[in-house]
Amino acid sequence: MSHEDITLPHLPLPAECRAGVDALALRWKKANGPVMALLTRFGGRLEDQMSILPAGFRERAEGVTAAALERAWMVARQGGRLPGTGDRGTLAAAIGAGIAGGAGGIMGALAELPFTITVLLHAIRREAEKLGYDPDDPWIMSEALRTFGSGSPIAADDGINTAFFSARAALTGPALNQLIASVAPKLAATLGQKLMAQAVPVMGAVSGAAINAAFLRYYREMAAIRFGLLRLAEEHGAGPVLKQFATATARPRITKD
């Protein structure tokens, strides 16, 4: 079945598909672990800390993030693999980067970002591979980049970005630059909060290693959900699948008696 088939007219979802979507929705609700819960608790304070940083630093963080996304894309496109391709190897790489970055304060953490982003993209592509997709397919690689546009692991704002491509197309040149430009600011803001979390005294108990491990877990979950939904959408149509996902993840309405 081609990718274009996910835009066919909506049909009622089979019970098995509804159960699959609901399971992914439950994973989305549980994506934030203990470390992310702690970061969420202090999220407002971290936002205040970010606001007092020089504008040049914030712009630099966004520039580093955009450049790191492009570099990670190129490494992946060339078949780059991290040492230890299993999940444990990826976790070890994330923890190692967190330790190195945390030891150097904010500037050390900023210098660590390119490698951390490469590790995260590697983990995201592995989740696609687990669901039977070719991680080297330009379409899948572009969907991997879009995973970084999912709801922030620090502030559950807009959930998972479920806008799928309408066609399998190679993402190169201007289109790639446009995608990176759309993803980089949001990822930079998220990772900027990570930088502050590794620097402010109140977060002293949370090491860079723990933060990186938590981010890895979060984006790995977002990737599993994204590609899981994409697989179900190919089989049953994007409209009903995403509608079921939206219903399953909707916050309960508070009603007055």
Side-chain angles (χ1 to χ4, degrees), residues 73 124-125 128-129 133-145 165 168-169 227 230:
W73 167 277
I124 289 169
R125 293 173 66 229
E129 189 173 19
Y133 289 110
D134 177 4
D136 295 324
D137 183 333
W139 169 57
I140 295 302
M141 288 172 65
S142 65
E143 290 301 319
L145 282 180
F165 271 159
R168 294 177 185 260
F227 289 109
L230 192 57

Side-chain angles (χ1 to χ4, degrees), residues 12-197:
L13 288 178
E16 183 178 352
C17 179
R18 287 200 305 273
V21 174
D22 290 346
L24 292 173
L26 183 59
R27 290 181 69 172
W28 179 82
K29 292 179 180 179
K30 294 181 176 180
N32 288 324
V35 174
M36 284 305 162
L38 183 59
L39 287 172
T40 299
R41 179 180 177 184
F42 292 105
R45 192 173 305 178
L46 295 175
E47 290 279 3
D48 293 340
Q49 293 286 339
M50 284 291 290
S51 67
I52 65 176
L53 288 174
F57 180 87
R58 295 195 297 272
E59 292 173 1
R60 180 180 176 187
E62 185 171 321
V64 168
T65 301
L69 283 170
E70 185 173 358
R71 178 174 179 272
W73 167 277
M74 295 304 297
V75 169
R77 186 181 179 187
Q78 294 168 9
R81 295 289 184 270
L82 294 175
T85 55
D87 289 345
R88 290 185 179 180
T90 306
L91 177 60
I95 290 175
I99 292 173
I106 287 186
M107 298 311 296
L110 185 62
E112 162 227 329
L113 283 188
F115 183 73
T116 294
I117 289 173
T118 300
V119 170
L120 294 176
L121 182 59
H122 174 83
I124 289 169
R125 293 173 66 229
R126 276 188 56 78
E127 293 303 315
E129 189 173 19
K130 289 177 183 178
L131 285 165
Y133 289 110
D134 177 4
D136 295 324
D137 183 333
W139 169 57
I140 295 302
M141 288 172 65
S142 65
E143 290 301 319
L145 282 180
R146 279 183 166 80
T147 302
F148 285 122
S150 301
S152 164
I154 290 179
D157 45 13
D158 62 348
I160 186 171
N161 180 354
T162 51
F164 299 134
F165 271 159
S166 60
R168 294 177 185 260
L171 193 65
T172 57
L176 173 60
N177 293 334
Q178 184 177 2
L179 175 56
I180 289 178
S182 68
V183 171
K186 185 166 187 175
L187 182 58
T190 297
L191 295 180
Q193 290 180 317
K194 167 181 130 65
L195 299 183
M196 293 306 305

